[in-house]
Every structure is written in C-alpha cells, then in structure tokens.
Amino acid sequence: MRIDFHTHILPNVDDGAQNVDTSLRMLREMEKSQVDLVIATPHYFSLDEKPVAFKQRISEAARILQDAAAQNGQTMPRILLGAEVYVERNLLLTEDLDLLCIGDTDLLLLELPVSEFREWMYTVLSGVTAIYNVRPVIAHVERVLSRISKKDLKKILEIPGICFQFNHTAFNDRKAKAFIKKVMKEGYPVFFGSDCHGVSDRGPTDVSGYAQIRQWLTKKMGKDFPERLSWVQCCELKIE
Ligand SMILES: [Fe+2]
C-alpha cells in the first residue's frame, strides 16, 4: 500500500488547496503515482479553534471534495482525516485534542515551531501520551534536526510511542537520510509524506520521486526490508 501521510489536500481549509478544482488536480497526480491512501492533515492551531469545530470544518471540506469527485466521475485514493497540530506552550490544555488523531488510529501529527528546540516543547511531546492516550508523530522531523542538541534528541527518542514523519524531500538531504536509516533500523514507526500544498508549487510527489525513494530504502535497509514492516511503517513502499 502506498500512503501519502502528510498532505494539505482539502479545499479551502488552510494554506493548502485553495479550491475544489486544485484538490481534484492534486488527487489526479496522486493517482498517477499509485497512491492508495491519502492522509489529509490541515494545519490546526489550538489558540484559534477548538478541535470539535475544526473537525466539523474539515469533515465538511472532505464531503464537498467527495461530492465534486463523484459529479466529475473522478475516482480517487481513499482519504483519511487527520491534522497537523501546531505545538504551542499551552497545547496540553486543549480539550478533546485526541479528536485530531488520524482516522481511527492513536497517531497525532505534531508540528514543532521553527525555532531552537526548548524544554517546553519536550514537555508537550511527552505529555500528549499521558494526557490524551495518543502517540506523538513529529511532522517533517528532518527540519528539526539542525535545531536540536544531541542530548535533546536522545530524550525525544526515549518518549514512549514516539513516531517520526519525514517529507519526501528529506531524501535529498544527507543528514536527514542518516536519521531515517537510524530510526528505521531501531524500529521506530516512520511515515513518509509529500506535505503537498498545491499542484505545481509544493505539489504531490511524482512517479520518479517515489521510485528514487523506494530504491534508496531498499538499498539501505536490505532486501528483506519490506517483510519487516507493518503498513504504518511502509508509508512510501508499495507492498504487493
Ligand atoms: Fe504540512
């Protein structure tokens, strides 16, 4: 199964697809790349909106998208709703944050601020499990690597249930690839996504992009690699 784990595919809900037509075009590109499952992860800011209202808003956008696809006679990959939850200091005070987990899973995608890593960020990452009984998934973790000390990274790796999401562009970065290899070898759940926001600019990953990623993963992880993965760990690989 090929999964795009991080997308801004839903129309008119964040800085991703600005209308239904763009969403449908993005989905057509994903179909060409044989994506079977798309996780919709619109940006969520706890200071702006309660999870219940956000969930209603994105569910409505998903319904509009499904209706438009049906009207056009367009087939499309299955879409699961989630969110890209921005990590702010008071996030753990948010009621019903677990509503924003992906589909029926206990996976909560968390986006760290673009600043040096701070202790309060660690408190939020490690606190979501205790408070909401969910597993934290650090969104595009490759962006964090340059802003975090070895000591803090070690602490993060020790958070129970911690998971990592990498953008497909991480495979263009030597340091990111070394980290992908490390966490996969150590058995952490790893997810890959395009983080697409539109069609041409920050668009979905194309066929050759997936082929390159697959080639690198197979080379680095060995020929028995696919057999050792569950569906959540093989978000890029298309397992027959
Ligand atoms: Fe994103």
Side-chain angles (χ1 to χ4, degrees), residues 24 34 43-44 46 59 76 81 91 102 105 147 157 160-161 167 176-177 189 211 219 227:
L24 291 173
Q34 297 180 291
H43 292 287
Y44 171 75
S46 58
S59 299
M76 55 183 208
L81 296 186
L91 185 66
I102 291 160
T105 74
R147 315 195 297 264
L157 288 164
N167 283 1
K177 283 194 286 191
K219 187 173 160 198
E227 284 75 38

PDB file of all heavy atoms in Angstrom, residues 24 34 43-44 46 59 76 81 91 102 105 147 157 160-161 167 176-177 189 211 219 227:
ATOM      1  N   LEU A  24      -8.854  18.383  -6.606  1.00  0.00           N
ATOM      2  CA  LEU A  24      -9.074  17.285  -7.562  1.00  0.00           C
ATOM      3  C   LEU A  24      -7.849  17.071  -8.452  1.00  0.00           C
ATOM      4  O   LEU A  24      -7.474  15.931  -8.742  1.00  0.00           O
ATOM      5  CB  LEU A  24     -10.308  17.572  -8.429  1.00  0.00           C
ATOM      6  CG  LEU A  24     -11.658  17.519  -7.693  1.00  0.00           C
ATOM      7  CD1 LEU A  24     -12.784  17.986  -8.604  1.00  0.00           C
ATOM      8  CD2 LEU A  24     -11.958  16.102  -7.175  1.00  0.00           C
ATOM      9  N   GLN A  34       0.223   6.187  -8.093  1.00  0.00           N
ATOM     10  CA  GLN A  34      -0.275   4.968  -7.432  1.00  0.00           C
ATOM     11  C   GLN A  34      -0.397   5.106  -5.912  1.00  0.00           C
ATOM     12  O   GLN A  34      -0.075   4.180  -5.172  1.00  0.00           O
ATOM     13  CB  GLN A  34       0.606   3.784  -7.786  1.00  0.00           C
ATOM     14  CG  GLN A  34       0.591   3.477  -9.283  1.00  0.00           C
ATOM     15  CD  GLN A  34       1.476   2.293  -9.605  1.00  0.00           C
ATOM     16  OE1 GLN A  34       2.695   2.405  -9.506  1.00  0.00           O
ATOM     17  NE2 GLN A  34       0.889   1.191  -9.960  1.00  0.00           N
ATOM     18  N   HIS A  43      -3.526  22.268   8.749  1.00  0.00           N
ATOM     19  CA  HIS A  43      -2.928  22.902   9.930  1.00  0.00           C
ATOM     20  C   HIS A  43      -3.992  23.154  10.998  1.00  0.00           C
ATOM     21  O   HIS A  43      -5.079  23.657  10.691  1.00  0.00           O
ATOM     22  CB  HIS A  43      -2.300  24.242   9.548  1.00  0.00           C
ATOM     23  CG  HIS A  43      -1.095  24.099   8.671  1.00  0.00           C
ATOM     24  ND1 HIS A  43       0.114  23.634   9.153  1.00  0.00           N
ATOM     25  CD2 HIS A  43      -0.908  24.333   7.353  1.00  0.00           C
ATOM     26  CE1 HIS A  43       0.989  23.609   8.150  1.00  0.00           C
ATOM     27  NE2 HIS A  43       0.395  24.020   7.059  1.00  0.00           N
ATOM     28  N   TYR A  44      -3.647  22.818  12.230  1.00  0.00           N
ATOM     29  CA  TYR A  44      -4.541  23.121  13.359  1.00  0.00           C
ATOM     30  C   TYR A  44      -3.790  23.984  14.378  1.00  0.00           C
ATOM     31  O   TYR A  44      -2.677  23.650  14.791  1.00  0.00           O
ATOM     32  CB  TYR A  44      -5.007  21.820  14.049  1.00  0.00           C
ATOM     33  CG  TYR A  44      -5.752  22.129  15.327  1.00  0.00           C
ATOM     34  CD1 TYR A  44      -7.048  22.629  15.281  1.00  0.00           C
ATOM     35  CD2 TYR A  44      -5.145  21.972  16.578  1.00  0.00           C
ATOM     36  CE1 TYR A  44      -7.725  22.974  16.452  1.00  0.00           C
ATOM     37  CE2 TYR A  44      -5.807  22.304  17.748  1.00  0.00           C
ATOM     38  CZ  TYR A  44      -7.095  22.810  17.671  1.00  0.00           C
ATOM     39  OH  TYR A  44      -7.758  23.161  18.829  1.00  0.00           O
ATOM     40  N   SER A  46      -4.342  25.579  18.080  1.00  0.00           N
ATOM     41  CA  SER A  46      -5.242  25.463  19.240  1.00  0.00           C
ATOM     42  C   SER A  46      -5.686  26.817  19.785  1.00  0.00           C
ATOM     43  O   SER A  46      -6.712  26.906  20.458  1.00  0.00           O
ATOM     44  CB  SER A  46      -4.565  24.647  20.346  1.00  0.00           C
ATOM     45  OG  SER A  46      -3.350  25.267  20.712  1.00  0.00           O
ATOM     46  N   SER A  59     -14.316  18.053   8.000  1.00  0.00           N
ATOM     47  CA  SER A  59     -15.203  16.976   7.530  1.00  0.00           C
ATOM     48  C   SER A  59     -16.098  17.508   6.418  1.00  0.00           C
ATOM     49  O   SER A  59     -16.364  16.818   5.424  1.00  0.00           O
ATOM     50  CB  SER A  59     -16.079  16.444   8.674  1.00  0.00           C
ATOM     51  OG  SER A  59     -15.266  15.925   9.698  1.00  0.00           O
ATOM     52  N   MET A  76     -10.708   8.420  -6.980  1.00  0.00           N
ATOM     53  CA  MET A  76      -9.579   8.996  -6.234  1.00  0.00           C
ATOM     54  C   MET A  76      -9.162   8.080  -5.102  1.00  0.00           C
ATOM     55  O   MET A  76      -9.908   7.194  -4.706  1.00  0.00           O
ATOM     56  CB  MET A  76      -9.933  10.388  -5.721  1.00  0.00           C
ATOM     57  CG  MET A  76     -11.180  10.485  -4.893  1.00  0.00           C
ATOM     58  SD  MET A  76     -11.435  12.225  -4.487  1.00  0.00           S
ATOM     59  CE  MET A  76     -12.322  12.068  -2.962  1.00  0.00           C
ATOM     60  N   LEU A  81      -8.990  11.495   7.477  1.00  0.00           N
ATOM     61  CA  LEU A  81      -8.815  12.814   8.072  1.00  0.00           C
ATOM     62  C   LEU A  81      -7.862  12.766   9.266  1.00  0.00           C
ATOM     63  O   LEU A  81      -7.907  11.844  10.080  1.00  0.00           O
ATOM     64  CB  LEU A  81     -10.166  13.380   8.535  1.00  0.00           C
ATOM     65  CG  LEU A  81     -11.198  13.644   7.452  1.00  0.00           C
ATOM     66  CD1 LEU A  81     -12.421  14.330   8.047  1.00  0.00           C
ATOM     67  CD2 LEU A  81     -10.613  14.480   6.325  1.00  0.00           C
ATOM     68  N   LEU A  91      -0.642  23.795  24.557  1.00  0.00           N
ATOM     69  CA  LEU A  91      -1.384  22.787  23.786  1.00  0.00           C
ATOM     70  C   LEU A  91      -2.039  21.740  24.678  1.00  0.00           C
ATOM     71  O   LEU A  91      -3.145  21.276  24.412  1.00  0.00           O
ATOM     72  CB  LEU A  91      -0.453  22.114  22.769  1.00  0.00           C
ATOM     73  CG  LEU A  91      -1.139  21.117  21.830  1.00  0.00           C
ATOM     74  CD1 LEU A  91      -2.138  21.824  20.902  1.00  0.00           C
ATOM     75  CD2 LEU A  91      -0.113  20.356  20.998  1.00  0.00           C
ATOM     76  N   ILE A 102      -5.271  10.665  13.429  1.00  0.00           N
ATOM     77  CA  ILE A 102      -5.512  10.274  12.041  1.00  0.00           C
ATOM     78  C   ILE A 102      -6.485   9.099  11.970  1.00  0.00           C
ATOM     79  O   ILE A 102      -6.216   8.037  12.549  1.00  0.00           O
ATOM     80  CB  ILE A 102      -4.175   9.926  11.367  1.00  0.00           C
ATOM     81  CG1 ILE A 102      -3.367  11.220  11.208  1.00  0.00           C
ATOM     82  CG2 ILE A 102      -4.384   9.223  10.045  1.00  0.00           C
ATOM     83  CD1 ILE A 102      -1.909  11.019  11.027  1.00  0.00           C
ATOM     84  N   THR A 105      -6.878   5.846  14.219  1.00  0.00           N
ATOM     85  CA  THR A 105      -5.624   5.492  14.894  1.00  0.00           C
ATOM     86  C   THR A 105      -5.428   6.362  16.134  1.00  0.00           C
ATOM     87  O   THR A 105      -6.204   7.285  16.402  1.00  0.00           O
ATOM     88  CB  THR A 105      -4.399   5.696  13.959  1.00  0.00           C
ATOM     89  OG1 THR A 105      -4.151   7.106  13.838  1.00  0.00           O
ATOM     90  CG2 THR A 105      -4.633   5.103  12.586  1.00  0.00           C
ATOM     91  N   ARG A 147      18.196  22.007  14.629  1.00  0.00           N
ATOM     92  CA  ARG A 147      17.895  22.950  15.721  1.00  0.00           C
ATOM     93  C   ARG A 147      17.891  22.274  17.086  1.00  0.00           C
ATOM     94  O   ARG A 147      17.461  22.847  18.070  1.00  0.00           O
ATOM     95  CB  ARG A 147      16.505  23.584  15.516  1.00  0.00           C
ATOM     96  CG  ARG A 147      16.197  24.059  14.129  1.00  0.00           C
ATOM     97  CD  ARG A 147      14.993  24.964  14.135  1.00  0.00           C
ATOM     98  NE  ARG A 147      13.764  24.322  14.566  1.00  0.00           N
ATOM     99  CZ  ARG A 147      12.864  23.813  13.733  1.00  0.00           C
ATOM    100  NH1 ARG A 147      13.050  23.865  12.445  1.00  0.00           N
ATOM    101  NH2 ARG A 147      11.762  23.261  14.201  1.00  0.00           N
ATOM    102  N   LEU A 157      13.938  10.510  21.579  1.00  0.00           N
ATOM    103  CA  LEU A 157      13.916   9.099  21.156  1.00  0.00           C
ATOM    104  C   LEU A 157      13.438   8.171  22.273  1.00  0.00           C
ATOM    105  O   LEU A 157      13.012   7.048  22.014  1.00  0.00           O
ATOM    106  CB  LEU A 157      15.314   8.679  20.675  1.00  0.00           C
ATOM    107  CG  LEU A 157      15.751   9.271  19.331  1.00  0.00           C
ATOM    108  CD1 LEU A 157      17.253   9.135  19.130  1.00  0.00           C
ATOM    109  CD2 LEU A 157      15.016   8.594  18.173  1.00  0.00           C
ATOM    110  N   PRO A 160       7.928   7.364  25.133  1.00  0.00           N
ATOM    111  CA  PRO A 160       7.179   6.155  24.772  1.00  0.00           C
ATOM    112  C   PRO A 160       6.236   6.408  23.586  1.00  0.00           C
ATOM    113  O   PRO A 160       5.506   7.400  23.581  1.00  0.00           O
ATOM    114  CB  PRO A 160       6.367   5.852  26.040  1.00  0.00           C
ATOM    115  CG  PRO A 160       7.096   6.547  27.143  1.00  0.00           C
ATOM    116  CD  PRO A 160       7.706   7.775  26.521  1.00  0.00           C
ATOM    117  N   GLY A 161       6.285   5.532  22.605  1.00  0.00           N
ATOM    118  CA  GLY A 161       5.374   5.615  21.464  1.00  0.00           C
ATOM    119  C   GLY A 161       5.747   6.641  20.408  1.00  0.00           C
ATOM    120  O   GLY A 161       5.011   6.818  19.433  1.00  0.00           O
ATOM    121  N   ASN A 167       9.181  14.293   5.290  1.00  0.00           N
ATOM    122  CA  ASN A 167       8.706  14.675   3.958  1.00  0.00           C
ATOM    123  C   ASN A 167       9.548  13.961   2.914  1.00  0.00           C
ATOM    124  O   ASN A 167      10.718  13.622   3.164  1.00  0.00           O
ATOM    125  CB  ASN A 167       8.820  16.190   3.756  1.00  0.00           C
ATOM    126  CG  ASN A 167       7.702  16.946   4.474  1.00  0.00           C
ATOM    127  OD1 ASN A 167       6.853  16.345   5.141  1.00  0.00           O
ATOM    128  ND2 ASN A 167       7.709  18.255   4.335  1.00  0.00           N
ATOM    129  N   ALA A 176      19.419  14.082   6.899  1.00  0.00           N
ATOM    130  CA  ALA A 176      18.066  13.533   7.100  1.00  0.00           C
ATOM    131  C   ALA A 176      18.060  12.042   6.778  1.00  0.00           C
ATOM    132  O   ALA A 176      17.463  11.236   7.514  1.00  0.00           O
ATOM    133  CB  ALA A 176      17.072  14.278   6.225  1.00  0.00           C
ATOM    134  N   LYS A 177      18.751  11.668   5.696  1.00  0.00           N
ATOM    135  CA  LYS A 177      18.759  10.250   5.311  1.00  0.00           C
ATOM    136  C   LYS A 177      19.454   9.391   6.372  1.00  0.00           C
ATOM    137  O   LYS A 177      19.026   8.273   6.646  1.00  0.00           O
ATOM    138  CB  LYS A 177      19.435  10.073   3.944  1.00  0.00           C
ATOM    139  CG  LYS A 177      18.537  10.478   2.793  1.00  0.00           C
ATOM    140  CD  LYS A 177      19.045  10.001   1.450  1.00  0.00           C
ATOM    141  CE  LYS A 177      20.228  10.774   0.969  1.00  0.00           C
ATOM    142  NZ  LYS A 177      20.579  10.508  -0.420  1.00  0.00           N
ATOM    143  N   PRO A 189       8.314   3.624  14.476  1.00  0.00           N
ATOM    144  CA  PRO A 189       7.394   3.806  13.358  1.00  0.00           C
ATOM    145  C   PRO A 189       7.744   5.079  12.575  1.00  0.00           C
ATOM    146  O   PRO A 189       7.981   6.131  13.172  1.00  0.00           O
ATOM    147  CB  PRO A 189       6.024   3.946  14.035  1.00  0.00           C
ATOM    148  CG  PRO A 189       6.195   3.287  15.360  1.00  0.00           C
ATOM    149  CD  PRO A 189       7.618   3.584  15.766  1.00  0.00           C
ATOM    150  N   ALA A 211       9.959   6.403  -7.036  1.00  0.00           N
ATOM    151  CA  ALA A 211      10.901   5.361  -7.458  1.00  0.00           C
ATOM    152  C   ALA A 211      12.263   5.565  -6.800  1.00  0.00           C
ATOM    153  O   ALA A 211      12.893   4.608  -6.331  1.00  0.00           O
ATOM    154  CB  ALA A 211      11.029   5.377  -8.987  1.00  0.00           C
ATOM    155  N   LYS A 219      17.883  -0.271  -0.897  1.00  0.00           N
ATOM    156  CA  LYS A 219      19.349  -0.406  -0.856  1.00  0.00           C
ATOM    157  C   LYS A 219      19.864  -0.327   0.577  1.00  0.00           C
ATOM    158  O   LYS A 219      20.690  -1.131   1.001  1.00  0.00           O
ATOM    159  CB  LYS A 219      19.951   0.725  -1.699  1.00  0.00           C
ATOM    160  CG  LYS A 219      21.435   0.633  -1.898  1.00  0.00           C
ATOM    161  CD  LYS A 219      21.895   1.705  -2.876  1.00  0.00           C
ATOM    162  CE  LYS A 219      23.379   1.956  -2.727  1.00  0.00           C
ATOM    163  NZ  LYS A 219      23.779   3.228  -3.307  1.00  0.00           N
ATOM    164  N   GLU A 227       9.442  -7.056   4.350  1.00  0.00           N
ATOM    165  CA  GLU A 227       8.799  -8.045   5.224  1.00  0.00           C
ATOM    166  C   GLU A 227       8.823  -7.621   6.689  1.00  0.00           C
ATOM    167  O   GLU A 227       8.039  -8.101   7.480  1.00  0.00           O
ATOM    168  CB  GLU A 227       9.498  -9.403   5.108  1.00  0.00           C
ATOM    169  CG  GLU A 227       9.171 -10.178   3.841  1.00  0.00           C
ATOM    170  CD  GLU A 227       9.870  -9.597   2.637  1.00  0.00           C
ATOM    171  OE1 GLU A 227      11.026  -9.165   2.772  1.00  0.00           O
ATOM    172  OE2 GLU A 227       9.257  -9.548   1.567  1.00  0.00           O
TER     173      GLU A 227
END
